[in-house]
Every structure is written in C-alpha cells, then in structure tokens.
Amino acid sequence: MAINIKSSDFIYPYFAVSGKGRKERIRSFPGQFRFSADLLIKDIRRTRKLGIDKVLLFGIPDKKDARGSRAYEDGNIVAEAVRRIKKEFPNLTVFTDVCLCAYTDHGHCGILNGREKIDNIKTLNALAEMALSHAEAGADWVAPSAMAKGQVARIRKALDENGHIGTKILGYSAKFASNFYGPFRSAALSSPKFSDRSAYQLNYADNAAALKEIEDDIREGADMVMVKPALGYLDIISQAKDRFAYPLAAYNVSGEYAMVKAYAKDAKQEKALVLEIITAIKRAGADLVISYHAKDIARWLKRG
Ligand code: PBG
C-alpha cells in the first residue's frame, strides 16, 4: 500500500523558557526558537491552524544545578507551559519530554553519584517527580528520554499511585548515542560538560540491544515506543514494528533536519527531500513522526 502523509502523523517539538516576550532564534538550528509561554501559545495557534494536533515540549531553565532541580520544582517551566496550553487548546495532544539533561549543570541525563556515574535510584525518583508534575498540569503523554534503567515502570507507578491512570507514556526506547543531536543540544544548552552519553544511550552498532530496550519498555507499561534517530535507523524501526506490532514513533532528529536545510538549494527541493524522508520513515513502520519539519509539511499538504 502506498504511503500517504497526513498532518496527524506528526508531533511538533517546542522549546519552552521562562518569562515573557521571549522568542529566541537558535543558531545552528534554522527555523527553530525558544519561546516563553505567552509567545508559545501564539505560535501553537498557528501550528494548530495548519492541522497539527500533537506537540512535544522541552523545558530550558535559565539556571541549572547538579540535581536538575528546576525540572521538577513546583511551577516548573514545562508544567506551567502545559497548564496554559491545555487551557487555550484543550484538544491539542501534549507530550512532555522527561529528562534532566537540559536542567543539570553537567549536562548529563541523570543525577550523578560522584564523577561520571549516574545514580539510577536518585535519577528515577527525579524523573518520576518530573513526570508527575507534567501530568498534574494536564499533559496527555509523558516521554521519558533519560535512558535510566526502569524509567518507564517507575513513572507508570508514580502516575498510577497519584490517580493519573489516563496519562500515557511514550518511551524513548531505542535511543542511540548519536552524532545527530547537535542542533538540539545548542537549543537546550544540554551538551555534556565531560565525557559523553555512551554509558546510557545505545551503541548504534548493536541492533539486538535496541530491540531488547523496546521489549523492556513495552513490558514496563509504555503505551508507545520510539526509535531515535530515524533516518539512519530505518532497519530498527522496521524490525521493531514487525517484532512487536506495537504503536511506534520515530524521532526525525535535529541533525537530520539540519542536513536537509544545509543541502536544499531552494524551497522546492527542500519539500521534495522532506517528503521523501518522511515517506521512508513511515514506510519502515513508524506510526508517528516527531519532526521539526512538521509545520512545513502541514503547510505543503494544505497549500501545495
Ligand atoms: C536527551 C534528548 C536528546 C534529544 C532530545 N532529548 C539527545 C541528547 O542530547 O542526547 C535530541 C533530539 C534532537 O536532536 O532533535 N534527553
């Protein structure tokens, strides 16, 4: 069956900051911004009009600390943004990223136990608290991306115990230690200050480990699983879909987006490239695609 792209196939990512009146262009990430909640609402209104009905929120605090405490404090950036978004757009499906890397001063995805080692228990507690704050604010889906062992089960338990049985979990299950996250890290100011993420993100040479992570997340109670990045990982997407027949998202990441922007010589070529890429990701088996191209695609679908 031929692949047909629709605006409902997409989740559009947004970067939220605190304060008012902020719309910051991100160098090295063409066409993407960090928004304070007021301007975020304005931009989402346009995104909605294009037919996009799902967004993914990342929070970027002005100050970071060793424990990433601004990720889960009362009134944290994402919880506040979700509250305002859901009030304004009750039918918009809101996903929130649950990870500490944008909030820690060392840039790692969890709380460290001495240098260079993640403390899994402390990290799980922080992630559970963060997810809970998002659910309380009205998030429809929380998306744990820290690659901490047991994160899906821990978050499911915290949500259920606090009455959020309807809040769903999108597991960033097969998340590779990739070289394609650069523009995102400049957006989130989240590059690790020492070492890299290879202790907790997956080795891209190992597909068995990726499938095992997906299986674990399904068993832990994820409602949807994810492969990230997408373009170099179509085989993983395809194997995951065949093996598990489970709802599956793919993250068309920042570096993939930036490559298209750098290569396309005009809008016509950009459109052709993007439609080919997204078709390939869907053909491989993704049900939903997280993509920075989503707004452009929705515009093309509407106006040609
Ligand atoms: C980490 C996280 C990353 C992205 C989203 N959340 C990767 C990383 O910094 O390791 C990358 C997304 C992109 O490149 O678009 N929690």
Side-chain angles (χ1 to χ4, degrees):
M1 204 178 59
I3 300 296
N4 169 28
I5 296 173
K6 323 177 278 312
S7 49
S8 59
D9 294 333
F10 297 98
I11 304 175
Y12 186 70
Y14 272 112
F15 300 99
V17 290
S18 61
K20 264 213 248 180
R22 293 172 70 183
K23 179 176 177 180
E24 302 166 357
R25 193 178 291 283
I26 303 160
R27 251 183 311 161
S28 83
F29 203 169
Q32 302 302 314
F33 301 85
R34 301 184 200 99
F35 293 100
S36 56
D38 54 334
L39 298 187
L40 185 61
I41 298 280
K42 267 188 145 167
D43 203 85
I44 292 177
R45 185 161 293 122
R46 285 195 284 270
T47 302
R48 281 297 276 151
K49 285 210 179 104
L50 291 170
I52 304 244
D53 60 359
K54 294 178 265 307
V55 298
L56 169 63
L57 289 186
F58 294 92
I60 304 157
D62 292 322
K63 284 208 189 97
K64 310 191 185 223
D65 61 26
R67 305 173 60 84
S69 59
R70 282 172 188 79
Y72 42 90
E73 68 185 3
D74 279 350
N76 65 70
I77 295 171
V78 169
E80 284 314 303
V82 171
R83 228 165 245 127
R84 292 180 66 165
I85 292 168
K86 286 304 271 189
K87 191 159 161 236
E88 205 76 27
F89 313 102
N91 299 325
L92 179 71
T93 302
V94 177
F95 294 71
T96 60
D97 185 83
V98 177
C99 184
L100 300 184
C101 62
Y103 301 86
T104 51
D105 52 13
H106 45 73
H108 281 285
C109 296
I111 296 175
L112 303 178
N113 189 355
R115 240 180 119 70
E116 312 221 349
K117 197 144 169 41
I118 300 241
D119 183 318
N120 204 51
I121 305 271
K122 285 187 188 150
T123 300
L124 290 180
N125 289 340
L127 295 173
E129 221 179 303
M130 184 178 184
L132 202 53
S133 76
H134 298 172
E136 272 160 11
D140 301 284
W141 289 77
V142 291
S145 71
M147 294 300 281
K149 283 262 162 293
Q151 59 181 2
V152 169
R154 180 71 183 82
I155 289 172
R156 185 70 269 160
K157 183 162 172 268
L159 292 173
D160 290 349
E161 284 174 358
N162 288 279
H164 297 288
I165 50 173
T167 308
K168 299 198 180 83
I169 299 179
L170 166 60
Y172 276 68
S173 313
K175 178 171 175 182
F176 292 91
S178 170
N179 297 291
F180 286 91
Y181 302 149
F184 174 91
R185 289 181 187 172
S186 37
L189 310 165
S190 65
S191 289
K193 298 289 177 299
F194 58 86
S195 182
D196 59 25
R197 303 211 205 287
S198 55
Y200 42 97
Q201 295 183 350
L202 296 169
N203 173 2
Y204 56 69
D206 189 347
N207 70 329
L211 292 171
K212 164 119 186 13
E213 291 282 347
I214 292 173
E215 190 174 9
D216 287 350
D217 275 6
I218 293 173
R219 195 168 343 101
E220 287 181 29
D223 298 278
M224 185 179 289
V225 290
M226 192 201 299
V227 174
K228 173 185 173 185
L231 202 46
Y233 298 83
L234 298 178
D235 55 333
I236 310 288
I237 295 174
S238 167
Q239 289 169 28
K241 195 65 193 176
D242 285 352
R243 179 162 319 175
F244 305 112
Y246 208 71
L248 180 65
Y251 201 140
N252 174 216
V253 299
S254 60
E256 300 173 50
Y257 169 88
M259 279 201 303
V260 171
K261 290 281 181 191
Y263 175 63
K265 63 181 185 309
D266 57 26
K268 184 160 171 273
Q269 192 191 18
E270 180 173 332
K271 175 178 169 184
L273 288 164
V274 170
L275 294 180
E276 181 176 344
I277 288 170
I278 300 296
T279 300
I281 295 170
K282 285 198 63 183
R283 193 186 60 226
D287 300 300
L288 292 180
V289 185
I290 302 170
S291 179
Y292 306 97
H293 296 295
K295 269 162 90 176
D296 291 334
I297 297 167
R299 205 172 290 119
W300 298 328
L301 292 173
K302 240 184 150 79
R303 305 197 192 126

